[in-house]
Amino acid sequence: MTDRYCVFGNPVKHSKSPQIHAEFAHQTQQALEYTAEEAPVDGFAGAWRAFIDAGGRGANVTVPFKGDAFALCDTLSHRARRAGAVNTLILGGNGRTYGDTTDGIGLARDLAYHRVALMGKRILVVGAGGAVRGILEPLLDEQPSEIVVVNRTAAKAEQLASDFADLGSIRGGGFDTVNGTFDVVINGTSASLSGDLPPLPDTLFNANAWAYDMMYGSEPTVFLQWAGPRGAKLLDGLGMLVEQAAESFFLWRNVRPETASVREMLRQSLEFDAF
């Protein structure tokens, strides 16, 4: 019997997740079906229950349902509780729903894949929404010298830093508090989707610094287009997407897929779509 999995979102037709998990299933010889399911904005819990009733075993969750997924879980992983959000649902044998988040570990593994060292480094994280909350614990686990979180609403960044202060050196504030240079700058806002650029100083990057945008596209994002001429090495969020998917797949199937070939496949498909 083929097990069913899906990604819930709204909208969700653009999702690359079905393509990614089809590749994972093929390479690991797992019998599963993975689809994209658009849930009503005010009806996520009902959509999950209907999916279970139809034979569903697990799901990924994307915008705008990560908070809804968090709320419906019977059991949560430590990292999901920290993040206050869930992107991976697992139906247990007892019929209870287990929630986890793989976004942060996806980012950490993508940075490791590109040999971006974080230990002892100074990291700037732009944004203070759910996407950033999900990545802070894995970043702090790498023991950077400091993480600075900045946001248009300074109080949100300050609160976020306070929530994670027990894990390492982290502080938050508004854009006017950015000072000095950084080894890694991560754009965790959705500004790139609308072509907006966070108000960051031109003298932001150390020598050999990295600029990372959690968004991705067929062309470099506005943030990466800005960072490149200022001396940063550039990475987008496509690898993070693949790595977080691989971790979800492992949680469901207890087998870890290989990701390098899937990264390359997706990158080529993005370049093809650009023409």
Side-chain angles (χ1 to χ4, degrees):
M1 182 177 177
T2 300
D3 292 333
R4 291 191 63 199
Y5 299 88
C6 76
V7 55
F8 284 110
N10 189 326
V12 77
K13 289 181 180 179
H14 65 284
S15 175
K16 302 290 186 185
S17 293
Q19 186 179 2
I20 293 170
H21 285 280
E23 289 296 320
F24 289 164
H26 175 74
Q27 66 169 255
T28 59
Q29 299 182 317
Q30 296 285 303
L32 63 86
E33 174 189 347
Y34 189 107
T35 57
E37 304 290 334
E38 186 169 298
V41 171
D42 58 352
F44 176 75
W48 169 240
R49 286 193 295 268
F51 185 69
I52 291 172
D53 291 343
R57 300 296 306 167
N60 286 129
V61 184
T62 188
V63 177
F65 298 123
K66 293 183 181 182
D68 298 274
F70 180 89
L72 68 75
C73 289
D74 300 300
T75 308
L76 293 162
S77 71
H78 166 79
R79 59 192 179 194
R81 285 195 301 272
R82 270 282 187 183
V86 160
N87 83 331
T88 305
L89 294 171
I90 304 166
L91 182 66
N94 56 3
R96 294 168 66 84
T97 299
Y98 175 82
D100 204 342
T101 180
T102 64
D103 287 333
I105 199 165
L107 172 62
R109 286 184 180 154
D110 189 32
L111 291 170
Y113 178 88
H114 290 285
R115 296 183 172 85
V116 180
L118 300 180
M119 181 177 288
K121 303 300 184 180
R122 193 165 188 244
I123 302 173
L124 179 69
V125 179
V126 183
V132 168
R133 177 171 284 274
I135 66 171
L136 289 179
E137 181 175 12
L139 289 178
L140 286 163
D141 284 345
E142 297 297 320
Q143 301 177 31
S145 65
E146 180 184 38
I147 293 180
V148 179
V149 181
V150 292
N151 191 58
R152 292 184 189 277
T153 305
K156 287 186 67 176
E158 291 165 358
Q159 182 60 57
L160 199 55
S162 176
D163 291 345
F164 288 84
D166 60 310
L167 300 180
S169 178
I170 181 170
R171 63 179 177 87
F175 285 101
D176 59 344
T177 66
V178 176
N179 61 78
T181 57
F182 294 85
D183 301 292
V184 181
V185 179
I186 299 171
N187 181 24
T189 74
S190 58
S192 294
L193 297 178
S194 55
D196 294 331
L197 182 67
L200 296 168
D202 287 337
T203 55
L204 193 63
F205 300 102
N206 282 335
N208 299 313
W210 291 88
Y212 190 105
D213 199 321
M214 290 168 63
M215 301 292 109
Y216 66 91
S218 56
E219 299 291 337
T221 66
V222 171
F223 170 70
L224 294 181
Q225 291 178 38
W226 171 84
R230 287 157 181 81
K233 294 174 285 188
L234 310 180
L235 289 172
D236 68 14
L238 186 67
M240 175 181 173
L241 174 70
V242 175
E243 294 296 341
Q244 65 81 24
E247 182 67 10
S248 294
F249 192 91
F250 174 75
L251 292 171
W252 293 327
R253 311 301 294 184
N254 200 34
V255 59
R256 192 172 299 283
E258 177 271 325
T259 57
S261 63
V262 181
R263 288 165 171 269
E264 182 61 25
M265 176 198 70
L266 282 187
R267 185 66 68 189
Q268 289 180 2
S269 72
L270 282 179
E271 293 171 354
F272 179 79
D273 289 344
F275 292 97

